Amino acid sequence: MSERYSRQTLFPPIGKGGQEKIRSKHVLMIGAGALGSGNAELLVRAGIGRLTIVDRDYVEASNLQRQQLYTEEDVAEKLPKAAAAEKRLKAINSEVAITAMIADATPEKLAELIDGVDLIIDATDNFETRMAINDISQKFRIPWIYGACVGSFGMSFSIIPGKTPCLNCLLKTVPLQGMTCDTGGIIGPAVQMVIAHQGAEALKILVEDWDAVRTSFVSFDLWRNQYTSMKMSKAKDPGCLSCGEHPEYPYLDVENMTKTTVLCGRDTVQIRPPKQQQLNLQDTAEKMKDLGYQVKGNPYLVSVEMDDNRMVIFEDGRALIHGTKDLAQARSIYQRFFG
Amino acid sequence: MSERYSRQTLFPPIGKGGQEKIRSKHVLMIGAGALGSGNAELLVRAGIGRLTIVDRDYVEASNLQRQQLYTEEDVAEKLPKAAAAEKRLKAINSEVAITAMIADATPEKLAELIDGVDLIIDATDNFETRMAINDISQKFRIPWIYGACVGSFGMSFSIIPGKTPCLNCLLKTVPLQGMTCDTGGIIGPAVQMVIAHQGAEALKILVEDWDAVRTSFVSFDLWRNQYTSMKMSKAKDPGCLSCGEHPEYPYLDVENMTKTTVLCGRDTVQIRPPKQQQLNLQDTAEKMKDLGYQVKGNPYLVSVEMDDNRMVIFEDGRALIHGTKDLAQARSIYQRFFG
Amino acid sequence: MNKILFFAHLRDEAGHESVEIEAAGKTVAELKQMVAEKYGIQKLDTSMTAINEEFSSNDEVIKAGDTIAFIPPVSGG
Amino acid sequence: MNKILFFAHLRDEAGHESVEIEAAGKTVAELKQMVAEKYGIQKLDTSMTAINEEFSSNDEVIKAGDTIAFIPPVSGG
């Protein structure tokens, strides 16, 4: 082991003591897409003791452009991402205890997995899951690291319960239609840049170098050569329902979640967002057309043809996903566009 | 193909036209270590047409902590990095024409490989090779992207012949004892951050979005939360021997190179740096001890025990590498410490 | 005068990377509404706001010379 | 006065991330020599120098209030 991690223990802020700490820690990775596969590889190479990685999707051809654990063979075999990730991670470092879960990271699932976890890394693609991670983090006093990217733009922020503001302080609500990689595209370097930031923060937290943990909110645009550090000293909201004086952890409440139901006797899942929306159907239809989908519409709904599914969206944000009975898959399709 | 790269063509500065351009281009990657394996994976996933990757080393256990193409099996098989990289890159994207060369990137080798190359990416670990890349780039008018890292610190700069200053403008000479990963340690996130910058610049150059190419010299420290962009408008030296009005390409001249000779009848290579040095032998000995090596010394030399080799260093920078007749391996060992 | 910076897709919607505008005395919420109307930006209300590189709430009042950046949270990953 | 910033291993050698020093009127080369002696830094002559975030040669003369950063080229990869 000493030889394997020699270049990391040579780095004075880690050293041999830090390496022992990394070895004793357990990280929960939510998502095994672009950020998830990159962050997981980074931590497994760094010698993390235990990694739990959760993902609900399968490896698809369009993932290969930026999701670094996967190969053409994984696409051909239609492997679940969690399973494909586990296979590669074990080949990289057999000393790490890896638990791969093919599952939707619902609040219930997060609560089930949180026991013994030292750090949560956000590698999800939607704000609903992030808000649930944020509440779990506050409730169980476990740090988490927000990361996201779209196009050549990305951002990261380390959230330490009791110390920093939380995501709910910053956003107040789940923004519907946050840009996702499925609507704005994404380039590999932007993914790598977010991973670099999340990974450095993770190592600081794992070796307990709390003074080194970044307190600012980083955002950057690699194509436009921008890099910005936003100070967060005024951002903490004492009345925040997630991290404030009287926390209620609203995003662990099923009332505030996207609801999915298999429609009786049909190969269709209905999806209902937590709050009534007022979608502009014409805009939605045009955006989908720009993305290359075949779209039909009328004043009441928009219908989008996909490979094996059809998605019908209504003005109040409700959607029907035809061609599946799998709740997780249906949520995945919906949140690709309404992340 | 359209599905595979869909998230990249959705990104407006690339689009379908940019993807065609990426597909038609040839990148020469010098080195298959941390930066080389990461940059190669990024470009292969992005759908580069042709990649030539050159490296002289074998996969070792201490590489696994940060070199993303390699597995424990590659270490067990003692595969050359170029061969191990090729195997993984082909599994990632069988559409890319990959040429892997187990070779030392000498000026002669670079001149041999440069034909038809659109871009050179620096993923080497020493300044001597970088200065040769810089001269080749100027002589053949091919852009190259400098990148380097040590500890949590890293830097990158895009060098476009006829437009930007070159590395020789900035450094004037090859700095002996530039910090390397073998002396200062390295963490994975610093590697990823340099790759993010080199990769974004590479994509801009490959799609010919020249206005987007970064003109500043970036450096950062992820552990200390620093990021700095140095403007380079005054850096170009009109008298520069590499890019000035009367170029002589000094680093393509064997006179200015580290010389390696197999000592007659012995399992030993002698290494002689291009200029006489005045090493502080006591400092050198202490540094090597700090790195965990067994070191002996006297006022005239320092002797360092390694796994299969012994390196003896003299005050003038000359060294003997015992236990090998392989010139490239001997240079590799020497440049680990005197990079 | 105040400099307003747009990040990520806000820049594409606004058609500019930055604009100069007179915003002193306005709250962040008021500025958001004004900018959203003037530059045809749809989702500015959910964007984060930095005044002189410091996160600021919707109630914060802008002073002359402040630089305001709108940074939209993104969800890709 | 002038602020001097040390990057990478220079900071470890200097023992500080930044120092305040009076350097107006000096050339970069002179400042390098002075700083190297005062803070016991070995290889400052091969370091790159930025004055107010702009690359500057050894002949450049420093003005009052300039911020000077020493950025050593590194070779790891």
Side-chain angles (χ1 to χ4, degrees), chain A residues 60-255:
Chain A
E60 293 176 88
S62 66
N63 301 149
L64 292 178
Q65 165 252 349
R66 68 199 178 285
Q67 302 191 8
Q68 74 189 54
L69 293 171
Y70 311 125
T71 62
E72 291 179 351
E73 200 184 313
D74 299 325
V75 176
E77 292 178 17
K78 284 188 185 292
L79 281 186
K81 286 187 183 175
E86 180 181 27
K87 181 183 62 168
R88 176 71 182 167
L89 293 170
K90 284 188 167 161
I92 289 169
N93 194 343
S94 58
E95 295 169 359
V96 179
I98 293 164
T99 309
M101 309 212 55
I102 305 162
D104 198 6
T106 59
E108 293 77 12
K109 180 55 75 181
L110 291 172
E112 190 186 311
L113 294 174
I114 199 67
D115 192 40
V117 165
D118 297 289
L119 171 67
I120 309 169
I121 294 185
D122 161 30
T124 184
D125 59 0
N126 66 86
F127 276 120
E128 185 172 321
T129 305
R130 285 196 181 91
M131 286 305 221
I133 293 173
N134 187 61
D135 273 355
I136 283 280
S137 150
Q138 293 297 331
K139 189 171 176 184
F140 294 89
R141 320 299 287 169
I142 315 282
W144 74 285
I145 304 169
Y146 166 56
C149 47
V150 64
S152 55
F153 182 76
M155 41 180 55
S156 178
F157 182 52
S158 306
I159 295 172
I160 318 283
K163 199 169 162 186
T164 68
C166 80
L167 194 67
N168 199 7
C169 294
L170 308 191
L171 303 186
K172 312 285 188 201
T173 177
V174 176
L176 193 79
Q177 284 182 304
M179 293 278 284
T180 72
C181 306
D182 291 83
T183 52
I186 177 75
I187 57 169
V191 173
Q192 297 301 321
M193 183 96 162
V194 174
I195 291 167
H197 283 87
Q198 288 186 297
E201 294 305 295
L203 291 177
K204 293 171 190 176
I205 290 171
L206 295 173
V207 304
E208 299 163 26
D209 188 355
W210 300 103
D211 290 341
V213 174
R214 188 185 296 269
T215 54
S216 63
F217 188 110
V218 164
S219 46
F220 65 83
D221 190 325
L222 276 171
W223 210 272
R224 293 179 179 89
N225 307 314
Q226 293 176 324
Y227 187 93
T228 243
S229 241
M230 178 163 60
K231 288 188 283 292
M232 298 304 275
S233 44
K234 295 192 293 185
K236 198 164 168 70
D237 172 8
C240 175
L241 290 180
S242 295
C243 77
E245 285 148 18
H246 304 289
E248 294 177 10
Y249 313 119
Y251 297 99
L252 302 183
D253 186 338
V254 289
E255 281 304 305

Side-chain angles (χ1 to χ4, degrees), chain B residues 62-128:
Chain B
S62 66
N63 302 150
L64 293 179
Q65 165 254 349
R66 68 199 180 285
Q67 302 190 9
Q68 74 189 53
L69 294 171
Y70 311 127
T71 63
E72 291 179 350
E73 199 183 315
D74 298 325
V75 176
E77 293 179 15
K78 284 186 185 292
L79 281 188
K81 286 186 183 175
E86 180 182 27
K87 182 184 61 168
R88 176 71 182 167
L89 292 170
K90 284 187 167 161
I92 289 169
N93 193 343
S94 58
E95 295 169 359
V96 179
I98 294 164
T99 308
M101 309 212 55
I102 305 162
D104 199 7
T106 59
E108 294 77 11
K109 180 57 74 181
L110 291 173
E112 190 186 311
L113 294 174
I114 198 67
D115 192 40
V117 165
D118 298 288
L119 171 67
I120 309 169
I121 294 186
D122 161 28
T124 183
D125 58 0
N126 66 86
F127 276 120
E128 185 171 322

Side-chain angles (χ1 to χ4, degrees), chain D residues 31-60:
Chain D
L31 176 65
K32 278 184 174 178
Q33 205 186 338
M34 188 172 99
V35 167
E37 281 167 19
K38 185 158 178 188
Y39 296 96
I41 300 175
Q42 288 202 352
K43 292 271 166 187
L44 200 55
D45 50 332
T46 59
S47 167
M48 296 182 292
T49 309
I51 301 181
N52 305 327
E53 302 195 330
E54 172 123 23
F55 180 93
S56 300
S57 73
N58 279 331
D59 308 329
E60 198 87 14

